[in-house]
Amino acid sequence: MVKIPREQSLSIVVPTLDASACLPATFAALAEAGAELVVVDGGSSDDTAAVARAAGARVVVAPRGRGIQLAAGATAAAGDWLLFLHADTRPEPGWATVVRGFIAAPGSTGRAGYFRFALDDTASEARRLERAVAWRCRVLALPYGDQGLLISRTLYDATGGFRPLPLMEDVDLVRRLGRQRLVALPAAAVTSAERWRRDGWRRRSARNLLCLSLWFLGVPPRLIRKVYG
């Protein structure tokens, strides 16, 4: 097990809503770091809280909404560093070594890291989407929440952290961080492709692009939420 140095402690914050089916795989991957695990539940009707507690996580209850839940998790977490990660996303083996290296690097407290986007599907559509996300990160400097966000408490507080938005909370924060403070980590975070398989690869991707466009046009998040569904 790769331990984060005591003087630079890490807390992992995971927002959840009816996520009991995907949490075991996520927790198994996260165990590699031996870090504090804070699960922020938005009112699950399944066994999410019980699964989280059984894995040794601290469970915090917050109103539903990723922005609100992530902010609540950051407040509850004790770490000098925060890793925000979606419940259906698990970093690949060896990720803790990558995170430790980033934390130990000079000037790291003034930067934030994110993982390479990957999907747990062998379909060609998954590979095309991965390439599209890589382009978005490289050209537009816009990693999404399903790529994780590793950030020091100091920088998180300085930028104002997550705002209580119903969606686009990840875009809102990385835009405030800016290109110069974002670093691509040399490890992948593997996200479940279930939503794309369920909604259709093109349909879901088009909807996500529409929501992003509406955000940049200044449409209020509460209205974008209606488009997102």
Side-chain angles (χ1 to χ4, degrees):
M1 179 181 294
V2 179
K3 293 289 187 179
I4 300 299
R6 184 175 180 82
E7 65 272 18
Q8 291 289 305
S9 57
L10 174 69
S11 294
I12 304 172
V13 177
V14 180
T16 59
L17 182 67
D18 295 332
S20 61
C22 61
L23 283 179
T26 300
F27 290 157
L30 296 181
E32 185 176 309
E36 178 189 40
L37 182 57
V38 179
V39 169
V40 190
D41 192 62
S44 294
S45 58
D46 64 1
D47 295 329
T48 290
V51 171
R53 291 191 180 98
R58 177 183 178 187
V59 177
V60 176
V61 177
R64 179 178 177 177
R66 275 207 179 116
I68 298 173
Q69 290 174 244
L70 289 166
T75 299
D80 302 303
W81 282 80
L82 305 169
L83 174 60
F84 299 99
L85 199 72
H86 288 182
D88 63 350
T89 299
R90 60 188 188 277
E92 67 179 357
W95 72 271
T97 299
V98 171
V99 165
R100 183 178 64 174
F102 181 83
I103 290 175
S108 61
T109 56
R111 299 178 296 167
Y114 61 91
F115 295 110
R116 184 176 72 255
F117 177 77
L119 289 168
D120 64 348
D121 196 297
T122 59
S124 59
E125 292 89 345
R127 304 292 82 76
R128 283 196 291 268
L129 182 55
E130 290 168 357
R131 290 192 293 270
V133 170
W135 179 90
R136 188 190 70 215
C137 293
R138 183 176 63 255
V139 177
L140 303 180
L142 282 178
Y144 283 0
D146 49 14
Q147 294 173 258
L149 185 70
L150 174 65
I151 185 170
S152 68
R153 171 80 62 177
T154 300
L155 182 56
Y156 178 84
D157 290 341
T159 53
F162 283 105
R163 293 173 177 166
L165 301 175
L167 81 171
M168 308 302 290
E169 78 291 330
D170 46 3
V171 174
D172 175 65
L173 179 53
V174 299
R175 288 286 289 176
R176 279 182 278 132
L177 286 167
R179 178 186 298 274
Q180 298 304 315
R181 294 191 290 193
L182 290 170
V183 178
L185 300 173
V190 182
T191 292
S192 170
E194 176 58 32
R195 291 168 293 169
W196 283 271
R197 289 191 292 262
R198 180 191 65 213
D199 300 341
W201 292 93
R202 293 185 179 180
R203 180 181 178 186
R204 185 172 186 87
S205 297
R207 184 180 64 183
N208 290 347
L209 180 58
L210 174 60
C211 289
L212 181 63
S213 301
L214 293 174
W215 168 264
F216 280 113
L217 288 172
V219 176
R222 69 179 184 279
L223 298 181
I224 302 177
R225 178 70 180 181
K226 295 180 180 180
V227 176
Y228 187 80

